[in-house]
């Protein structure tokens, strides 16, 4: 890769509670196989009262700073990508900037582009670094809450979480290159300001995603030896899209099945437990992919796979897509050793369907909750949202 820039480290925040799709299927009187096999989901993370996009994003950002050892004063650009903001004018980034103790000489803003917001943030952060050699670090935070409403078709594809990316020169984790772009004005999924939930044309949104993915992959010479990491609204969609990408490589059905299992599924397995996290989704999939490389899931291939390149495909409804190419740095495992998100997901607390419905109805503060984060949302006064450090 030409430019020695990319992601120095990644840290995530997973909400402390989840809903099992088995419980949801029982409550909705739907065959659970539709959720497990038809959509590919088993659990979804549900944020409680104290977990909004600012507290989740700040928790991911704090972990990023602590694990990377980077001084907050060296962050010169902070971008928050989200489509779940509580305010139309004040950027969430200003609150996160203050919670993390980043200095005042920092460029701080939000980007909205559905599920691709933070990914446009990442390529902008790379451009920012390349424009001036005195700049040290950028932080890009992806934080979202995917909620479609009780009983909606999208209900089993909800989720929540945040991911923070540290962008630098000579990155210790992954070098990143923008490979292809796509943009097309469509109404497949959108969130009018006065609507409580997104409006989504489910089947059409899938077609739009597929068109964007194929358009991007057709613009490059695809290397079938890479891992493929996708924005994952639900794993079954990624499986379908990947089969189409395999067609570009002239694969037969059995080759496609094996390629998917080997090069895509480890990332999807992880997403099937957290659900859709919109702009953070691609990065949770990447964490799943890298964790599985390290965990010995393919232990006999571990050495051979360690330096394999990756494609990162990001899709944002509306629509826009970016295909990035990533190459692991020599000692990427040193930073990846911090990843233990599968274990963290396993430690979450299950919610009953009744409590989940109370949370969605806005009565989340009444649910007794455990909070493992360092920051929490503590309520609003005079329309100003307040956050506490709970350590
Ligand atoms: N056993 C096994 N499979 C079953 C089954 C059973 N008993 N019952 C149904 N299925 C299968 C169906 O055959 C179908 O499979 P195919 O897609 O292969 O045909 C699958 O389960 C889903 O069933 P339906 O098509 O009936 O599903 P639905 O009408 O309930 O809607 C959905 C599914 C469109 C994904 C809906 O959950 C939704 O609207 N989700 C939100 C939109 C979304 O995620 N879009 C993705 C692209 S947009 C994007 O990427 C941005 C973003 O993040 C939002």
């Amino acid at each position: 890769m030409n430019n020695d820039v990319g992601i120095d480290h990644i840290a995530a925040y997973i909400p402390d509670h989840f809903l099992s799709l088995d419980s949801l299927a029982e409550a909705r009187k739907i065959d659970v196989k539709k959720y497990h096999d038809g959509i590919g989901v088993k659990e979804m993370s549900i944020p409680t009262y104290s977990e909004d996009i600012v507290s989740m994003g700040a928790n991911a950002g704090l972990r990023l700073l602590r694990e990377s050892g980077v001084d907050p004063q060296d962050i010169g650009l902070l971008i928050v990508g989200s489509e779940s903001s509580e305010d139309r004018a004040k950027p969430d980034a200003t609150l996160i900037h203050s919670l993390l103790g980043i200095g005042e000489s920092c460029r701080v803003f939000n980007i909205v582009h559905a599920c691709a917001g933070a990914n446009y943030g990442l390529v902008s952060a790379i451009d920012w670094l390349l424009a001036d050699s005195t700049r040290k670090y950028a932080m890009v935070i992806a934080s979202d809450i995917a909620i479609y409403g009780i009983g909606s078709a999208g209900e089993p594809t909800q989720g929540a979480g945040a991911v923070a990316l540290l962008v630098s020169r000579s990155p210790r984790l992954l070098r990143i290159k923008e490979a292809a772009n796509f943009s097309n004005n469509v109404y497949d999924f959108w969130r009018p300001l006065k609507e409580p939930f997104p409006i989504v044309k489910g089947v059409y949104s899938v077609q739009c995603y597929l068109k964007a993915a194929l358009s991007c992959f057709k613009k490059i010479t695809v290397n079938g030896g890479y891992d493929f990491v996708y924005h994952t609204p639900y794993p079954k969609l990624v499986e379908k899209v990947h089969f189409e990408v395999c067609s570009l490589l002239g694969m037969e059905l059995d080759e496609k099945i094996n390629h998917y299992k080997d090069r895509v599924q480890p990332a999807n397995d992880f997403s099937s437990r957290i659900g859709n996290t919109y702009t953070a989704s691609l990065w949770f999939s990447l964490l799943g992919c890298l964790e599985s490389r390290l965990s010995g899931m393919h232990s006999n291939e571990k050495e051979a796979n360690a330096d394999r390149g990756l494609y990162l495909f990001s899709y944002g409804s509306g629509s826009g897509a970016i295909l990035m190419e990533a190459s692991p740095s020599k000692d990427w495992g040193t930073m990846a050793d911090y990843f233990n998100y599968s274990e963290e997901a396993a430690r979450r607390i299950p919610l009953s369907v009744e409590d989940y419905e109370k949370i969605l109805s806005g009565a989340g503060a009444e649910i007794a909750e455990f909070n493992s984060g360092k920051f929490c949302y503590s309520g609003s006064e005079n329309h100003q949202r307040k956050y506490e450090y709970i350590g």
Side-chain angles (χ1 to χ4, degrees), residues 30-40 83 114-115 146 148 152-157 188-189 200-210 231-234 236-237 240 276-279 281 315-317:
I30 286 177
D31 181 357
V32 74
K33 285 188 187 151
K34 172 172 177 180
Y35 293 167
H36 286 185
D37 303 335
I39 296 179
E83 55 175 279
C115 305
Y148 292 97
S152 64
E155 188 176 30
T157 64
D188 57 336
F189 162 108
V200 56
K201 295 182 189 167
V203 175
Y204 182 54
S205 71
V206 167
Q207 292 164 351
C208 291
Y209 181 118
L210 178 63
H231 163 58
T232 309
Y234 56 97
K236 200 71 189 183
L237 170 63
K240 284 185 183 176
N276 194 356
T277 51
Y278 291 156
T279 191
S281 162
Y315 175 73
S317 289

Side-chain angles (χ1 to χ4, degrees), residues 221-241:
T221 305
V222 181
N223 182 339
Y226 278 26
D227 279 344
F228 291 66
V229 183
Y230 294 88
H231 163 58
T232 309
Y234 56 97
K236 200 71 189 183
L237 170 63
V238 166
E239 184 179 336
K240 284 185 183 176
V241 170

